[in-house]
Amino acid sequence: MLTLTVDGKEIQAKKGTTLLKACLDNDIYIPNLCYIDGIEETAASCRLCFVEIEGEEKPVTSCTVPVKASLKVKTDTPAVRRLQKTALRLLLSVHHVDCKNCPANKKCALQDMAKFLKVGLKPGHLQHCLKEPEIDTSHPCLDYYTNRCVLCGKCIQVCLTHNGQPEITFARRGFNTVVSFFGTAKNEKDSCDECIRCVDICPVGALVLKSSP
Amino acid sequence: MIADLSADEEKILNDVKIRLAKYGKERGQLIPILQMIQDKLAYLPHITMEMVAQHLDIPPSEVFGVATFYNQFRFNPPGRNPVKVCLGTACHVRGGDIILENFERKLEIKEGETTSDKEFSIERVACVGCCALAPVTLIGETVHGNMAPSKVEGLVMRVQIEKEMKEREKQKNESGQ
Ligand code: SF4
Ligand code: SF4
Ligand code: FES
Ligand code: FES
């Protein structure tokens, strides 16, 4: 066990864990979207989990920092909050906010973060930019809601870890990036039906089981 | 999603299979292979991406992910009259995106797609080399400069009328013989 200081409080963490996990385990919330507990290789793509560490010039992503003894960490400096708020606002600017009709309502990472960072869910001064089509229904048992997806990549990562080769993938690029099923063949119906790890890991309501006909 | 291949395409596909075998199995071959296929077939049918995945021993989803990343690859066969809307710098500044939108609305397809009668397809290109005429659109090989939204309807109609005239002429010739 190592001892480090976070926001003036001493916490204990096992060697080898990331700073993000150590904080979360000790009830210190740090906004995050792309980190998966138990998967070593983190994409560090959401750029939300910033903290400041004494001795480091700039804020760093806590999901990529292994814990070290005597680290002195601050999770709520103005620089950190500014980065996080901006990242969240950018995500919301490409998000179709319609929580009432969303299965993730009340258990949604975006809602939690918005509340925590005191950012409104409505896009504010940024241009609102949505993709078409709104829903990809090409998979035999899953539906994908393009404008709910935060592109965290967790669904692809768990599919890869579980199945050895991912059935889903990022397609296109830039604003047009989506998670795609690559016209998944019918035979995936059974294996996906039994797995649905991607649905479980999705931090928002972007991947959902097809509602039974 | 798997499109039916025409007999011609089927033939070329077999040719592609033979060529594919000559490529190495390193990941770095992925893009050269995709380019070769598009060169032969003018687009990347679903089934070819699966063939490539098998050849390189990588998931088909990965081939798809890479292919969709690049603008140069298309996933629908081009129409008989490919509409290429220039969105290079000059054309962009002069409202090329509005021209693109107008074609999309008129033909009821999106960029990268083909109409169901295979008559038109729309794609965006970057500078066709006559910026002085911006905004520019190519229909087939014909350059249309100083495009305006109001010209879109007329151009589409012209292609349709020309086609009808050709057909009528053909009929006349046939009945005349
Ligand atoms: S994903 Fe979250 S923020 Fe988006 S509509 Fe659903 S509940 Fe609301
Ligand atoms: S579908 Fe969900 S898990 Fe997958 S990238 Fe989008 S938000 Fe992340
Ligand atoms: S959780 Fe660290 S960058 Fe996404
Ligand atoms: S930018 Fe369109 S022709 Fe040069």
Side-chain angles (χ1 to χ4, degrees):
Chain A
M1 281 295 197
L2 300 166
T3 308
L4 50 153
T5 318
V6 181
D7 296 336
K9 212 174 86 186
E10 290 204 338
I11 63 165
Q12 304 261 305
K14 257 210 273 156
K15 200 166 175 266
T17 40
T18 64
L19 182 52
L20 175 61
K21 179 158 165 49
C23 290
L24 294 176
D25 286 350
N26 282 279
D27 290 326
I28 300 166
Y29 177 64
I30 298 174
N32 68 90
L33 277 177
C34 68
Y35 169 76
I36 311 176
D37 196 2
I39 290 185
E40 294 254 311
E41 242 171 76
T42 148
S45 58
C46 74
R47 316 312 286 170
L48 277 158
C49 66
F50 282 109
V51 295
E52 284 199 69
I53 300 179
E54 201 177 272
E56 303 251 2
E57 210 183 308
K58 292 179 184 153
V60 290
T61 46
S62 59
C63 69
T64 55
V65 178
V67 285
K68 273 190 270 193
S70 66
L71 273 187
K72 286 204 171 56
V73 183
K74 281 194 184 145
T75 68
D76 64 349
T77 67
V80 163
R81 290 298 182 241
R82 208 172 139 214
L83 283 167
Q84 290 168 333
K85 283 185 187 176
T86 307
L88 179 59
R89 285 195 185 108
L90 285 168
L91 281 174
L92 289 168
S93 75
V94 293
H95 193 86
H96 178 55
V97 181
D98 181 18
C99 303
K100 269 202 300 285
N101 296 310
C102 177
N105 197 9
K106 303 223 164 73
K107 44 185 187 346
C108 165
L110 282 180
Q111 288 177 327
D112 295 346
M113 268 188 293
K115 198 160 156 212
F116 181 78
L117 295 170
K118 302 196 179 61
V119 168
L121 282 174
K122 293 285 168 203
H125 65 288
L126 294 172
Q127 192 186 345
H128 202 210
C129 189
L130 294 181
K131 289 178 256 200
E132 280 178 51
E134 179 96 3
I135 314 176
D136 176 354
T137 56
S138 63
H139 191 278
C141 51
L142 304 171
D143 279 343
Y144 172 70
Y145 286 75
T146 326
N147 294 314
R148 285 183 194 155
C149 178
V150 293
L151 300 172
C152 65
K154 285 204 259 200
C155 52
I156 299 172
Q157 194 53 248
V158 289
C159 189
L160 171 71
T161 317
H162 179 69
N163 298 316
Q165 73 170 42
E167 307 294 351
I168 43 183
T169 179
F170 283 132
R172 307 214 274 273
R173 71 175 153 172
F175 275 119
N176 297 322
T177 310
V178 288
V179 170
S180 164
F181 306 122
F182 181 53
T184 325
K186 313 268 171 306
N187 56 8
E188 257 116 45
K189 167 125 177 70
D190 301 331
S191 56
C192 287
D193 245 347
E194 275 161 29
C195 174
I196 64 157
R197 282 173 173 76
C198 55
V199 175
D200 291 338
I201 197 108
C202 184
V204 291
L207 268 180
V208 295
L209 275 177
K210 262 196 178 30
S211 34
S212 23
Chain B
M1 217 174 107
I2 300 173
D4 292 321
L5 298 175
S6 67
D8 273 358
E9 284 175 324
E10 202 93 43
K11 220 189 280 159
I12 304 175
L13 202 60
N14 280 328
D15 175 49
V16 166
K17 235 179 251 169
I18 297 164
R19 282 167 194 271
L20 190 57
K22 294 192 190 125
Y23 281 83
K25 298 200 178 276
E26 315 82 62
R27 278 166 169 264
Q29 296 293 335
L30 176 53
I31 290 178
I33 291 176
L34 293 177
Q35 284 170 325
M36 176 274 287
I37 297 174
Q38 173 144 312
D39 207 38
K40 295 281 152 212
L41 288 165
Y43 74 111
L44 299 177
H46 197 94
I47 178 167
T48 59
M49 285 187 274
E50 272 165 18
M51 282 160 53
V52 175
Q54 214 172 26
H55 177 77
L56 296 177
D57 197 17
I58 57 177
S61 60
E62 204 176 315
V63 177
F64 184 67
V66 170
T68 54
F69 185 87
Y70 295 98
N71 272 343
Q72 61 171 298
F73 296 119
R74 40 180 317 139
F75 305 93
N76 293 303
R80 280 181 281 276
N81 301 285
V83 175
K84 295 183 184 142
V85 182
C86 182
L87 288 178
T89 312
C91 293
H92 171 78
V93 169
R94 305 217 53 189
D97 51 337
I98 301 176
I99 305 297
L100 177 64
E101 235 180 77
N102 273 279
F103 273 109
E104 287 180 335
R105 209 168 323 130
K106 172 75 198 147
L107 296 171
E108 291 173 2
I109 51 171
K110 289 263 161 233
E111 167 217 343
E113 296 178 350
T114 305
T115 51
S116 52
D117 61 359
K118 306 257 163 69
E119 210 52 56
F120 293 96
S121 57
I122 304 179
E123 63 193 282
R124 55 161 84 195
V125 292
C127 194
V128 290
C130 44
C131 310
L133 302 177
V136 176
T137 296
L138 269 81
I139 300 185
E141 299 293 305
T142 320
V143 178
H144 301 276
N146 297 317
M147 276 299 294
S150 57
K151 291 190 184 171
V152 167
E153 175 110 37
L155 283 174
V156 170
M157 205 137 69
R158 188 149 99 198
V159 171
Q160 280 161 345
I161 291 175
E162 274 170 14
K163 185 187 162 209
E164 274 166 33
M165 269 165 48
K166 259 190 218 134
E167 267 167 20
R168 231 173 287 147
E169 210 144 291
K170 213 169 111 199
Q171 275 173 2
K172 227 175 36 207
N173 286 347
E174 274 166 11
S175 56
Q177 272 162 10

